[in-house]
Amino acid sequence: MVVLLKGSNKDLPVAVWFILPSFIGFAIFTGIPILVALVLSFYDWNLLNTPKFVGFENYDTLFRSDPIFMKVLWNTLYFVLGSVPLSIIIALFIAVLLNQKLKAIAFLRAGYFLPVISSIVAASLVWKWIFNPDFGIINDFLRMIGISNPPKWITSTAWAMPSIIIVAIWKNLGYNMVIFLAGLQDIPKDLYEAGEIDGANKRQLFWHITLPLLRPTTFFITIISIIGSFQVFGQALVMTEGGPGISTNTIVFYIYQNAFVFFKMGYASASAWVLFFIVLFFTAIQSKIGKRRGAL
Amino acid sequence: MKSLNRFASVFSSVILLSTLIACSSSEEPSAGTGNSDKQKKAVTIQYTFWGDAATKATHERLVDNFNKKNTGVTVKAIHVPAFDQYLQKVQTTMASGTAPDVINFVHNDVYAFASRDVLVDLTEWIKRDWDGAKLGENLGDLMEGMKYEGKQYALPRNAGGWYTYYNKTLFDKAGVKYPDESWTWETLVAEGKKLSNNSANVNERTWAIAFDAKATAQHINYMWQAGGDYFNEDKSALLFDSPKTKQGLQFMYDLMYKDKIAPDPSITSIQKPVDLFSSGQLAMYQDSMGNIVRFTGAKDLNWGIAYLPKGPENRFGRIGATGLAIPEGSKNKEAAWEFIKYVNGNEGQEILAKDGFSAPVREQLLQDESKFLPADKFPIDRNVAIKGYQEYGKLLPSHKNWTQIEAVAKKYLDLYFINSMSLDEATKKIMDEATPLLK
């Protein structure tokens, strides 16, 4: 948008018309609610009675006297750290494998992409069975290889979060993989040919050609994954309802819980704005790193 | 600061137009009009409720019957399948001024909503045209449960007791006599051991009894049976740290981890007790009256109903009671009232009772063998159904912050029941976190 406005492009009026519908949609369904949430975060409102202005009390409570919110922040960070690096590394690995001339390549690619388009609610329900400590396929396998006391997964405070991370990785893998594939196919073939002539082996080709040239792609995926991971909600709602206890209660789940279970709209809005600043913070850092390394 | 404050409040009230709409129209109930004046314009009102497909069908039939009477009021049924989404929907439609005219509430939600001044006080209307014989038959406890500060905010729609459903096949196989009024907690444990099978082969496994994985419906029954409760008499304090409350919770824990006759949450979070019961893996399943209909239709299930086993003090089980209320934002309050009277009246109650999905809220109908749980349609002991409801049923406590208090309790009881927090610690956390909510 900004770029368009700067130049004296004669296509500009046409472009604006094309952007307009999406822009209006964004303003009505995202922009205005964001502003309303900002105002509401200074109010005490239960949806039923007239909102009461409370100043910074909601923020004050969040940071100073809500022991759950700190745990929720930590849970969210745990989720991000657990799911983002793994889902990127595995996605890259699979993308490299699938970037070859294999039989049934389209089928394999589609297979990895399938979780992305499947409904998170349905997928979570299936995963609940997979994680079943007694009948679940995972524990069946673990017992088969001799682990007599496998974890209780989503019903254990220690293993519930790893379970959700596993599902998240499975779910996001396909998306990251497709983006990586696109990135891989953009790398000119002659670079590899030149490398081979110079006597580089497969590993060297990967480290010195593939990885550096994929940097913009990796950067994009990292940002998108981190932003997405901070907003994890579906799995936590369907698989564990934030439990056991509060072990899988994440920021967005906590916002949902405050807004639509306890009907503390002001408090929920304040948490939402805290989340906004956290995401902004991480994106700013990444953007700095990215610029320095020339990814953008 | 003050002008900023004012600016903020003006700004927000512009944006939050919705709340203003919700409070704008209020039609004061006035004695003496209504009945005499049948010249009302034809109006359409909305009636919202939640429940499964069978419940939906029952209520649509109720609405159809009402609409056929041509009272000038047409009712449109709005069904929501799941209860947790139901309250969200009710509360958000109230905020946006589009709430249905008649809303079905659990009795303690009537209390919570009434405490926020969003429901119409029905006291005067009841006095005006619903007194004497018409009202007198309503079960007193139910009426009492739908009051807030002495005023009536809803009329009862339906209710139902809490029972032990038992699988006769499993009892016969284990050579155990069917549960009856002589059963206590001790009987449950002793006989339960005969009924459960901890086989390594998961397909052969059976359990005597089970609870929902999430500490939900059932824990309060066991707390009551041991003499404990959520609140003290005047609701100025929580009773989670009382020895009696703890005894009830400890009993549930022991059934899972000491006596090992109940599955722990790692199993029930995936296979619900009702599914275990339906598939013949569970000998006793405790739930509300609605399951009579559910199991009556089930194939290959030979079952009966019994009272809950008696604890150290009593055998109370919770009553699921719901009532109909009118939101202040409704534009057709008188029409809504007509429909509420119909549902609470004999005709409406008869339609609801016919399917057996819950008990009628009127004494005479409850005792009428041809209308409520007729023996030819329901293969159960009617007397157990009625006595379990009238004598051993108890209403959930009411509090304006019930939802939040309940959420705190569940959060820590969950941890206790999965064995990752001690009872003392869990109840202390509940006390610490929920006591401020009492204000």
Side-chain angles (χ1 to χ4, degrees):
Chain A
M1 197 73 182
V2 179
V3 178
L4 280 173
L5 292 175
K6 265 188 207 159
S8 56
N9 199 324
K10 65 176 163 45
D11 292 335
L12 182 63
V14 182
V16 167
W17 281 108
F18 274 111
I19 293 171
L20 202 60
S22 135
F23 198 74
I24 292 174
F26 175 82
I28 294 176
F29 296 109
T30 311
I32 293 177
I34 287 175
L35 289 179
V36 174
L38 178 63
V39 175
L40 270 180
S41 70
F42 298 104
Y43 281 79
D44 175 13
W45 189 38
N46 63 8
L47 274 178
L48 297 177
N49 302 125
T50 317
K52 201 173 86 208
F53 185 72
V54 293
F56 281 93
E57 199 185 293
N58 287 329
Y59 292 96
D60 191 59
T61 315
L62 272 178
F63 287 108
R64 288 210 299 198
S65 48
D66 185 348
I68 298 165
F69 186 65
M70 283 302 141
K71 183 81 190 4
V72 163
L73 282 182
W74 162 243
N75 285 343
T76 313
L77 201 63
Y78 179 8
F79 177 83
V80 173
L81 293 176
S83 66
V84 173
L86 273 175
S87 72
I88 292 176
I89 293 168
I90 302 175
L92 178 59
F93 181 71
I94 294 173
V96 170
L97 290 183
L98 290 184
N99 193 30
Q100 299 171 39
K101 289 200 180 73
L102 294 173
K103 275 183 186 168
I105 188 79
F107 175 77
L108 286 172
R109 285 176 183 170
Y112 282 105
F113 197 71
L114 208 58
V116 179
I117 51 168
S118 60
S119 135
I120 185 66
V121 175
S124 297
L125 286 172
V126 173
W127 274 97
K128 266 179 97 164
W129 278 98
I130 294 175
F131 283 127
N132 183 321
D134 269 341
F135 313 100
I137 186 166
I138 293 184
N139 277 5
D140 256 4
F141 174 74
L142 291 178
R143 274 192 217 96
M144 217 166 69
I145 60 169
I147 297 167
S148 60
N149 196 10
K152 295 206 163 189
W153 300 108
I154 58 171
T155 45
S156 131
T157 43
W159 285 95
M161 190 52 98
S163 312
I164 288 192
I165 290 173
I166 291 172
V167 177
I169 292 173
W170 169 83
K171 181 99 172 77
N172 298 331
L173 201 60
Y175 180 78
N176 294 349
M177 180 205 74
V178 164
I179 309 281
F180 270 130
L181 263 176
L184 286 172
Q185 285 169 0
D186 263 359
I187 300 176
K189 291 273 179 295
D190 40 347
L191 287 177
Y192 289 105
E193 282 160 16
E196 272 167 25
I197 291 168
D198 290 342
N201 61 26
K202 282 253 149 109
R203 187 179 299 162
Q204 284 167 326
L205 289 178
F206 177 78
W207 284 106
H208 297 290
I209 296 178
T210 313
L211 215 50
L213 286 172
L214 272 181
R215 196 174 279 156
T217 316
T218 317
F219 178 72
F220 170 77
I221 290 179
T222 312
I223 289 195
I224 293 291
S225 300
I226 289 184
I227 294 176
S229 299
F230 267 109
Q231 300 175 34
V232 57
F233 175 66
Q235 296 100 310
L237 179 72
V238 179
M239 287 174 59
T240 58
E241 290 172 56
I246 47 173
S247 56
T248 55
N249 198 329
T250 55
I251 302 185
V252 177
F253 186 81
Y254 195 57
I255 293 170
Y256 157 80
Q257 213 177 17
N258 273 311
F260 295 107
V261 181
F262 305 146
F263 299 109
K264 287 152 71 178
M265 293 315 256
Y267 200 62
S269 302
S271 326
W273 271 87
V274 172
L275 173 62
F276 171 76
F277 280 109
I278 291 173
V279 173
L280 187 69
F281 174 73
F282 278 97
T283 315
I285 289 184
Q286 283 170 319
S287 152
K288 259 218 153 91
I289 297 173
K291 267 190 192 132
R292 206 167 55 209
R293 293 203 181 157
L296 282 179
Chain B
M1 194 64 204
K2 205 169 181 187
S3 66
L4 189 73
N5 196 331
R6 180 170 300 160
F7 166 75
S9 71
V10 168
F11 184 40
S12 79
S13 40
V14 170
I15 290 176
L16 308 172
L17 264 178
S18 44
T19 36
L20 299 177
I21 295 166
C23 308
S24 59
S25 72
S26 69
E27 192 182 316
E28 287 305 316
S30 52
T33 53
N35 262 3
S36 54
D37 157 29
K38 283 279 173 196
Q39 297 290 332
K40 275 176 258 167
K41 274 183 285 173
V43 288
T44 300
I45 58 165
Q46 298 183 322
Y47 160 45
T48 191
F49 57 94
W50 78 96
D52 56 16
T55 310
K56 179 174 182 246
T58 301
H59 284 271
E60 281 172 353
R61 206 144 41 80
L62 179 77
V63 166
D64 283 346
N65 274 287
F66 177 80
N67 287 344
K68 274 184 212 138
K69 291 170 73 77
N70 287 325
T71 53
V73 177
T74 308
V75 178
K76 199 169 154 257
I78 299 179
H79 168 252
V80 178
F83 182 68
D84 44 349
Q85 284 148 29
Y86 179 75
L87 278 189
Q88 282 171 26
K89 199 170 170 190
V90 165
Q91 203 138 339
T92 41
T93 51
M94 275 186 171
S96 63
T98 54
D101 307 277
V102 177
I103 302 177
N104 184 216
F105 282 112
V106 175
H107 78 90
N108 59 1
D109 285 326
V110 172
Y111 185 97
F113 277 78
S115 77
R116 290 172 171 96
D117 296 322
V118 290
L119 299 182
V120 176
D121 172 11
L122 302 177
T123 319
E124 288 303 312
W125 285 356
I126 292 170
K127 228 180 265 171
R128 186 187 76 194
D129 46 8
W130 209 237
D131 55 352
K134 281 180 185 161
L135 181 69
E137 276 202 352
N138 267 290
L139 298 164
D141 281 357
L142 300 183
M143 290 296 283
E144 207 49 51
M146 292 168 199
K147 278 184 183 167
Y148 173 71
E149 293 187 337
K151 290 174 186 160
Q152 196 77 42
Y153 284 90
L155 277 184
R157 187 193 77 172
N158 67 296
W162 206 268
Y163 308 96
T164 303
Y165 295 86
Y166 60 92
N167 182 326
K168 290 182 176 170
T169 316
L170 287 180
F171 271 76
D172 293 342
K173 218 167 102 188
V176 178
K177 247 180 66 197
Y178 299 151
D180 57 24
E181 213 164 350
S182 73
W183 273 49
T184 62
W185 280 8
E186 289 73 32
T187 333
L188 174 64
V189 173
E191 303 293 327
K193 284 182 177 156
K194 299 179 201 161
L195 290 162
S196 29
N197 175 359
N198 278 315
S199 163
N201 180 348
V202 288
N203 296 320
E204 283 173 10
R205 219 175 263 177
T206 57
W207 307 98
I209 191 156
F211 323 109
D212 277 318
K214 295 266 153 191
T216 44
Q218 284 139 332
H219 62 270
I220 198 166
N221 293 347
Y222 289 91
M223 285 161 58
W224 279 337
Q225 287 162 16
D229 210 333
Y230 267 47
F231 308 102
N232 65 355
E233 196 90 341
D234 63 356
K235 291 177 193 159
S236 59
L238 289 167
L239 295 179
F240 276 92
D241 59 352
S242 87
K244 288 177 171 179
T245 303
K246 283 187 183 176
Q247 190 188 354
L249 297 169
Q250 177 82 50
F251 180 68
M252 291 176 76
Y253 177 92
D254 287 347
L255 290 175
M256 293 187 275
Y257 296 99
K258 194 181 119 222
D259 309 313
K260 295 189 193 299
I261 61 173
D264 67 44
S266 69
I267 293 167
T268 47
S269 64
I270 291 147
Q271 284 177 292
K272 289 191 206 146
V274 66
D275 299 329
L276 290 171
F277 186 74
S278 306
S279 63
Q281 289 169 282
L282 178 64
M284 283 173 281
Y285 171 63
Q286 297 180 339
D287 201 347
S288 63
M289 189 176 260
N291 292 278
I292 293 179
V293 187
R294 181 194 287 211
F295 297 137
T296 298
K299 275 182 194 158
D300 306 324
L301 190 64
N302 188 10
W303 60 282
I305 65 168
Y307 305 110
L308 303 181
K310 186 172 178 294
E313 299 227 345
N314 57 58
R315 57 170 87 241
F316 282 144
R318 54 182 277 191
I319 287 181
T322 80
L324 301 182
I326 307 172
E328 275 292 355
S330 165
K331 289 169 192 70
N332 297 301
K333 297 191 176 74
E334 287 278 354
W337 172 239
E338 288 304 313
F339 179 65
I340 290 180
K341 281 191 293 185
Y342 175 77
V343 178
N344 179 260
N346 279 323
E347 198 178 326
Q349 285 297 306
E350 220 171 280
I351 293 169
L352 291 181
K354 199 171 159 222
D355 291 345
F357 107 101
S358 65
V361 296
R362 292 172 166 269
E363 179 72 35
Q364 196 195 1
L365 204 55
L366 191 66
Q367 304 298 348
D368 192 329
E369 246 175 273
S370 63
K371 287 176 179 150
F372 176 56
L373 298 177
D376 55 327
K377 269 175 77 186
F378 299 98
I380 50 149
D381 187 342
R382 246 187 121 250
N383 298 323
V384 173
I386 292 171
K387 198 170 168 188
Y389 161 53
Q390 274 197 300
E391 260 182 57
Y392 304 134
K394 189 174 157 102
L395 285 174
L396 283 179
S398 295
H399 192 280
K400 70 180 166 64
N401 290 328
W402 169 260
T403 316
Q404 276 126 298
I405 294 169
E406 176 81 336
V408 172
K410 279 182 190 168
K411 186 165 69 192
Y412 294 109
L413 292 180
D414 273 355
L415 290 175
Y416 173 52
F417 290 137
I418 62 166
N419 212 3
S420 62
M421 192 180 262
S422 75
L423 178 57
D424 289 339
E425 199 187 339
T427 50
K428 187 177 177 301
K429 290 259 190 193
I430 296 172
M431 296 297 291
D432 290 350
E433 232 174 84
T435 302
L437 295 168
L438 291 179
K439 276 176 265 162

